[in-house]
């Protein structure tokens, strides 16, 4: 995959990279990245010599039709791990277990602490469960990563990418072994996650918003529904006025 899709991505988009020396040549490490675009999971592995395993939502593996089968084949081919996100706490536990297994094999594990793509290019609060618990359970270093301008390459909902040169900044590894054995302490989990998010913010230059991205998406969706309802009400009122005027 690195020679085919990875090579094509590097040739076509020429992504620039800073801090690649911070990726260890061997041994386990967690790559914690901001999440701007679906293409993040392609550009980051493409510029690294080592394989990166991300967890991916199970819909990528179970969608129907030819497109669904091709998508499933691709994600299986690059070694991504399906996780059912609809199962509440059980889904979270499955993701954590998968991450630990990857690191115990001495590999690189990629995770998006925000839990979903940013709806507006800003950096949102990291979810403390996955990243921090995997880091404390394994003792693996956490390497902050900032994806730059990938949302401009492939904005949400767009299929055809734009020929824009994205960037990747890789920070220095963060050591949280001082907290090992404390993964049951929610205050420690929050502290670890916030420290990682702060480093990602410094690398990316994004504006930080202290709410979860999922909540922000709900707010945006609710605002869009309210605006659509208001427009519909205004349209009906104008039609009623026009009807009344015609009658007079």
């Amino acid at each position: 995959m690195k020679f085919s899709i990875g090579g094509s991505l590097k040739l076509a988009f020429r992504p620039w990279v800073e801090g690649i020396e911070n990726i260890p040549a061997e041994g386990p490490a967690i790559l914690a990245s901001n999440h701007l675009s679906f293409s993040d999971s392609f550009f980051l592995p493409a510029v690294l010599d080592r394989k990166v395993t991300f967890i991916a939502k199970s819909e990528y593996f179970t969608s129907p039709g030819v497109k669904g089968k091709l998508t499933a084949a691709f994600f299986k081919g690059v070694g991504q791990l399906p996780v059912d996100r609809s199962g509440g706490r059980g889904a979270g536990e499955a993701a954590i277990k998968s991450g630990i297994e990857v690191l115990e094999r001495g590999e690189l594990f990629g995770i998006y602490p925000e839990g979903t793509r940013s709806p507006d290019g800003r950096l949102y609060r990291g979810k403390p469960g996955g990243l921090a618990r995997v880091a404390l359970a394994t003792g693996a270093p956490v390497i902050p990563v900032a994806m730059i301008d990938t949302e401009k390459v492939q904005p949400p909902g767009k299929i055809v990418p734009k020929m824009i040169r994205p960037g990747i900044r890789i920070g220095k590894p963060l050591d949280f072994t001082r907290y090992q054995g404390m993964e049951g302490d929610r205050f420690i989990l929050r502290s670890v996650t916030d420290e990682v998010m702060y480093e990602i913010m410094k690398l990316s230059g994004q504006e930080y918003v202290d709410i979860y991205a999922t909540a922000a998406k709900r707010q945006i969706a609710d605002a869009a529904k309210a605006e659509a309802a208001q427009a519909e009400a205004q349209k009906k009122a104008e039609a009623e006025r026009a009807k009344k005027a015609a009658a007079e």
Side-chain angles (χ1 to χ4, degrees):
M1 297 304 296
K2 285 185 180 293
F3 282 111
S4 57
I5 292 179
S8 300
L9 282 177
K10 288 193 287 186
L11 182 64
F13 293 95
R14 298 179 300 112
W16 55 266
V17 186
E18 295 177 0
I20 199 166
E21 67 276 4
N22 293 319
I23 302 293
E26 58 183 22
I30 301 169
L31 305 185
S33 173
N34 61 338
H35 199 12
L36 297 173
S37 168
F38 175 78
S39 61
D40 294 337
S41 299
F42 302 121
F43 281 112
L44 180 56
V47 302
L48 302 180
D49 292 331
R50 298 181 61 185
K51 175 185 175 181
V52 184
T53 298
F54 287 90
I55 52 175
K57 60 184 180 181
S58 60
E59 293 93 319
Y60 289 145
F61 298 82
T62 59
S63 298
V66 175
K67 181 181 177 182
K69 290 181 179 180
L70 290 174
T71 301
F74 171 79
F75 278 96
K76 289 176 182 177
V78 295
Q80 305 309 284
L81 304 172
V83 172
D84 183 359
R85 302 190 302 181
S86 64
R89 183 173 176 79
E93 293 297 332
I96 291 167
K97 184 176 182 292
S98 296
I100 291 173
E101 290 174 350
V102 169
L103 293 167
E104 286 179 342
R105 295 197 298 265
E107 300 173 3
L108 298 179
F109 176 61
I111 189 169
Y112 300 114
E114 292 168 281
T116 187
R117 281 175 282 180
S118 170
D120 54 14
R122 297 186 293 177
L123 184 68
Y124 285 84
R125 195 180 197 201
K127 294 188 173 182
L131 167 64
R133 285 183 60 189
V134 171
L136 299 190
T138 62
V142 179
I143 302 174
V145 176
M147 307 301 295
I148 312 293
D149 290 338
T150 52
E151 81 282 12
K152 297 176 182 177
V153 174
Q154 190 175 30
K158 300 295 182 181
I159 298 177
V160 180
K162 296 180 180 180
M163 301 307 293
I164 295 172
R165 190 182 185 194
I168 303 172
R169 290 196 182 99
I170 303 170
K172 294 184 180 299
L174 303 174
D175 182 4
F176 294 108
T177 54
R178 63 191 184 276
Y179 296 131
Q180 267 194 283
M182 303 174 70
E183 54 265 32
D185 188 323
R186 62 188 180 93
F187 296 105
I188 294 295
L189 298 180
R190 181 77 266 162
S191 176
V192 168
T193 305
D194 288 346
E195 184 174 338
V196 175
M197 298 309 295
Y198 179 72
E199 293 300 322
I200 294 175
M201 180 186 70
K202 289 197 300 182
L203 291 168
S204 68
Q206 291 170 279
E207 177 187 350
Y208 179 75
V209 185
D210 196 25
I211 63 172
Y212 293 122
T214 48
K217 286 184 175 182
R218 285 196 296 270
Q219 291 176 3
I220 292 171
D222 290 345
K225 287 180 182 178
E227 185 177 346
Q230 184 179 6
E232 182 64 22
Q234 184 177 354
K235 182 179 178 181
K236 288 182 179 179
E238 290 175 353
E240 189 64 28
R241 285 195 296 268
K243 184 179 178 180
K244 186 177 181 180
E248 292 175 351

